[in-house]
Amino acid sequence: MKILNELYAGKAKTVYETDDSERLVLRFRDDTSAFDGAKIEQLARKGMVNNRTNAFIMEKLEAAGIVTHFDRLLSANEAVVKRLDMIPIECVVRNISSGSICKRLGVEEGLTLLPPTFEFFLKDDARHDPMVNEFHIRSFGWASEDEVAAMKTQTFAVNDCLKALFAEAGLLLVDYKLEFGRYQGDVVLGDEFTADGCRLWDAKTREKLDKDRFRQGLGGVVEAYEEVAHRLGVDLD
Ligand code: 5GP
């Protein structure tokens, strides 16, 4: 497969077109950003750890019947994915209160949410990814009613699969963000699932093992991502 021109550079990944019009290459970079890009640092090995962890998780999701864009690993920090028409919406499920919901609703961190709660956000860094509802998504044409329903169903299906997977690794899946796109008429999971876009706590100590270590200046960011990968059984060599 030949990598052609750069299509899009995000905050942690660059997307390339290839000589296959149906496939893109994602390059996971070492860049780490928070606060909508206001804080950016390079963390050695992060691109590789995230690429391999993402591949591992996408394959688990596929095995559980969730259709994803993931095709195959191409190199230590690159993967081949299906070319999706991305929906500009972030889907968030929360099992435990943390992050923006605590600020927004004035609730304490660490509350178990039963049932898990769900939120949509518009992907728009300049506006700090505002929260939107299903009516906004349909009224502004970001996605249809059926696509909204599919995103919700699949985001909760991911929760069932990954809560159990992480629990086996002694980790609590606190919350996560997913993005979807259209592929041959279906709504398919795109983007990535890594510790950059979810919260993971040690089940016993509740130590944070995700990007909150970077956001909160706790240090040991890549070491925490490697710990997660190691516990899941991801091959990092
Ligand atoms: P919160 O709304 O609490 O900031 O985030 C909820 C969850 O979604 C967290 O796991 C967070 O990492 C993830 N998330 C929300 N927005 C973004 C984003 O723009 N980029 C990434 N990588 N993750 C996000």
Side-chain angles (χ1 to χ4, degrees), residues 71-85:
D71 180 359
R72 63 192 161 91
L73 280 173
L74 186 64
S75 70
N77 65 341
E78 293 167 322
V80 181
V81 298
K82 293 174 192 133
R83 184 178 191 142
L84 308 187
D85 168 25

Side-chain angles (χ1 to χ4, degrees), residues 11 36 90 92 94 98-101 104 119 121 125 129 175-177 196-199 211 215:
K11 295 192 289 292
D36 303 309
E90 300 182 344
V92 170
R94 301 176 192 272
S98 189
S100 72
I101 200 169
R104 210 176 330 114
E119 296 165 342
F121 297 90
D125 273 350
D129 295 349
D175 58 29
Y176 57 91
K177 180 262 299 177
D196 267 357
C198 71
R199 291 191 171 92
K211 198 156 89 173
R215 296 186 186 102

Side-chain angles (χ1 to χ4, degrees), residues 176-212:
Y176 57 91
K177 180 262 299 177
L178 301 180
E179 294 178 30
F180 293 87
R182 306 172 183 96
Y183 186 74
Q184 297 175 354
D186 289 324
V187 172
V188 168
L189 178 61
D191 194 44
E192 65 180 82
F193 194 107
T194 67
D196 267 357
C198 71
R199 291 191 171 92
L200 293 167
W201 294 353
D202 179 88
K204 282 206 186 98
T205 65
R206 296 207 156 195
E207 184 189 5
K208 295 176 198 279
L209 296 169
D210 55 64
K211 198 156 89 173
D212 272 353

Side-chain angles (χ1 to χ4, degrees), residues 2-213:
K2 240 202 193 140
I3 295 180
L4 303 178
N5 53 303
E6 179 181 315
L7 191 63
Y8 170 77
K11 295 192 289 292
K13 297 190 293 301
T14 308
V15 183
Y16 296 90
E17 289 187 306
T18 71
D19 54 355
D20 179 345
S21 62
E22 294 278 303
R23 292 288 181 275
L24 299 174
V25 165
L26 299 186
R27 183 171 296 157
F28 288 75
R29 307 193 314 269
D30 287 342
D31 298 313
T32 311
S33 78
F35 314 119
D36 303 309
K39 176 178 178 179
I40 302 177
E41 279 174 34
Q42 297 264 312
L43 299 177
R45 289 173 64 82
K46 198 202 70 152
M48 179 276 290
V49 175
N50 276 1
N51 183 40
R52 294 208 157 124
T53 303
N54 177 63
F56 180 92
I57 289 176
M58 290 285 170
E59 282 173 353
K60 293 286 182 193
L61 294 175
E62 288 278 356
I66 296 156
V67 183
T68 81
H69 68 158
F70 183 76
D71 180 359
R72 63 192 161 91
L73 280 173
L74 186 64
S75 70
N77 65 341
E78 293 167 322
V80 181
V81 298
K82 293 174 192 133
R83 184 178 191 142
L84 308 187
D85 168 25
M86 292 304 291
I87 297 171
I89 294 295
E90 300 182 344
C91 300
V92 170
V93 159
R94 301 176 192 272
N95 295 305
I96 298 176
S97 60
S98 189
S100 72
I101 200 169
C102 295
K103 281 198 198 123
R104 210 176 330 114
L105 302 184
V107 296
E108 66 182 278
E109 183 173 65
L111 302 176
T112 297
L113 304 176
L114 277 177
T117 202
F118 186 102
E119 296 165 342
F120 288 116
F121 297 90
L122 177 65
K123 222 177 134 55
D124 185 342
D125 273 350
R127 289 177 179 73
H128 307 292
D129 295 349
M131 193 161 128
V132 292
N133 67 31
E134 297 183 26
F135 288 89
H136 297 138
I137 296 173
R138 289 164 52 197
S139 301
F140 291 105
W142 295 315
S144 70
E145 186 173 3
D146 287 351
E147 288 169 340
V148 167
M151 289 194 288
K152 261 198 305 196
T153 303
Q154 291 183 52
T155 303
F156 277 117
V158 166
N159 202 34
D160 292 339
C161 174
L162 295 189
K163 249 194 324 190
L165 184 79
F166 286 117
E168 280 172 29
L171 296 164
L172 292 172
L173 178 58
V174 172
D175 58 29
Y176 57 91
K177 180 262 299 177
L178 301 180
E179 294 178 30
F180 293 87
R182 306 172 183 96
Y183 186 74
Q184 297 175 354
D186 289 324
V187 172
V188 168
L189 178 61
D191 194 44
E192 65 180 82
F193 194 107
T194 67
D196 267 357
C198 71
R199 291 191 171 92
L200 293 167
W201 294 353
D202 179 88
K204 282 206 186 98
T205 65
R206 296 207 156 195
E207 184 189 5
K208 295 176 198 279
L209 296 169
D210 55 64
K211 198 156 89 173
D212 272 353
R213 298 201 71 82

